[in-house]
Amino acid sequence: MTAILKAGVIGAGVFGGYHANKYAELEGVRLAAVLDTHPERAQALAQKHGAAAFSDLAAFLDAVDVVSVASPASKHAPAALAALKAGRPTYVEKPLATSLEDADALLGEASRRGVVLATGFLERAAFRAMGLFGLPERPRFMEAVRSGPPSPRNLDVSVVIDLMIHDLDLALALADADPLAVEAEGREVANASLDEVEAEIDFEGGFIARLRASRVAGTRERTMRLVYPSGEVVVDFLTHSFSNTTPFALDAGYDETPAGKDRLGASLAAFLDAVRGRGGPLANGLDGARALDLALAVEQAVGR
């Protein structure tokens, strides 16, 4: 890799704009290219940062060293697979894919090419900044709510893959165990796929995760309660605050740390460090595949 990495963003929508902004700000990288199926959107975003706009994927890949995939969820896998086949380290916004077959193809290609594959689970940056991943105890129970009012975005997937998957990923990371059983119920309210879901997941070792997600709620809520043998940690993701009755020290000022202030920036910086051989991404491709597997199991338990 060159000293200054040339980054390309696939998708010039809201999240593509976020990625482009971060690549324009981070050290050791510059935004070189933007690809979108709507040329006018690619041009507008690229022009903002002095990058080149593309509508042809092959030409786009020739112009970059690393790739962010921030297109609609159902389009993630084909774009990421093409980037990996071209030997480009690839960061994929969640979900990694929408089918296990596609996820396996991405993992296999990344392994064959020996390139980094990362998944965009941004809450991991906050948990790392808080110190939750370093506790000497594993939680016994998780209760999480992730809900918000209707939005026109991400309607190509269910609320499980759109919202709940964040908490599924955190459950897998904190439990460090495989799920054994999934029970769930849910319903479509305003869209063709699930809009509200409640799930309970039993993991090896006795850990239980009870999760609720809605994209048709009246107000936004992003909360999590973690019960440890020695106490509880209750997190409010919207206010960037938490309470802690365990004896373990957590960083109460985590929201003032670089990672707490800028989760996407921290996640992309870790990805770029991994590309340079300095550590690994906050969430790799396997993490993305495991979270997708569990999300699909929740959908199946609902009967979808």
Side-chain angles (χ1 to χ4, degrees):
M1 291 296 174
T2 57
I4 301 296
L5 294 171
K6 295 178 294 183
V9 176
I10 297 177
V14 173
F15 278 92
Y18 294 156
H19 280 247
N21 291 342
K22 294 307 169 188
Y23 283 131
E25 296 170 0
L26 290 170
E27 294 183 0
V29 64
R30 69 175 179 87
L31 181 69
V34 177
L35 173 76
D36 197 279
T37 55
H38 298 84
E40 68 281 2
R41 296 201 308 189
Q43 183 61 43
L45 183 56
Q47 187 173 6
K48 177 183 176 182
H49 297 291
F54 290 86
S55 58
D56 179 75
L57 180 57
F60 165 86
L61 292 172
D62 284 341
V64 301
D65 299 315
V66 298
V67 173
S68 271
V69 178
S71 52
S74 59
K75 307 296 185 183
H76 284 183
L81 187 60
L84 292 170
K85 285 184 175 180
R88 304 297 186 262
T90 302
Y91 181 109
V92 186
E93 270 294 345
K94 62 80 191 168
L96 180 67
T98 55
S99 75
L100 293 181
E101 293 79 8
D102 283 344
D104 287 344
L106 296 179
L107 293 176
E109 196 63 37
S111 177
R112 282 190 292 273
R113 302 285 177 176
V115 297
V116 175
L117 174 61
T119 309
F121 287 122
L122 303 187
E123 305 293 20
R124 287 192 175 213
F127 270 37
R128 177 177 287 187
M130 290 169 61
L132 273 170
F133 287 141
L135 298 188
E137 292 180 351
R138 295 290 181 187
R140 292 176 173 172
F141 177 74
M142 169 193 283
E143 185 175 46
V145 177
R146 192 169 292 264
S147 61
S151 167
R153 295 190 294 107
N154 302 328
L155 298 181
D156 56 333
V157 293
S158 76
V159 72
V160 180
I161 292 178
D162 178 23
L163 294 180
M164 186 182 282
I165 198 167
H166 285 290
D167 297 319
L168 295 172
D169 170 65
L170 291 175
L172 287 162
L174 290 167
D176 193 26
D178 292 327
L180 296 175
V182 178
E183 295 182 1
E185 60 182 23
R187 62 186 183 131
E188 299 88 0
V189 177
N191 301 289
S193 57
L194 291 165
D195 291 315
E196 293 184 330
V197 172
E198 294 186 12
E200 182 167 303
I201 304 158
D202 295 335
F203 290 77
E204 290 179 350
F207 174 68
I208 297 173
R210 190 171 296 150
L211 313 176
R212 177 161 57 90
S214 172
R215 59 184 177 191
V216 289
T219 58
R220 293 184 73 210
E221 182 177 354
R222 304 281 194 276
T223 57
M224 181 176 289
R225 181 167 71 99
L226 296 167
V227 180
Y228 292 83
S230 61
E232 296 187 7
V233 176
V234 180
V235 182
D236 188 323
F237 293 100
L238 296 182
T239 63
H240 295 189
S241 61
F242 67 88
S243 62
N244 175 25
T245 63
T246 74
F248 310 117
L250 297 174
D251 187 352
Y254 82 98
D255 59 320
E256 293 301 318
T257 66
K261 286 182 177 179
D262 185 0
R263 295 171 301 163
L264 177 58
S267 186
L268 287 175
F271 165 62
L272 295 172
D273 280 344
V275 171
R276 295 187 173 96
R278 302 196 295 259
L282 294 186
N284 59 31
L286 182 58
D287 295 322
R290 292 184 71 214
L292 174 64
D293 190 12
L294 189 50
L296 294 175
V298 170
E299 289 186 344
Q300 185 176 20
V302 175
R304 301 296 189 273

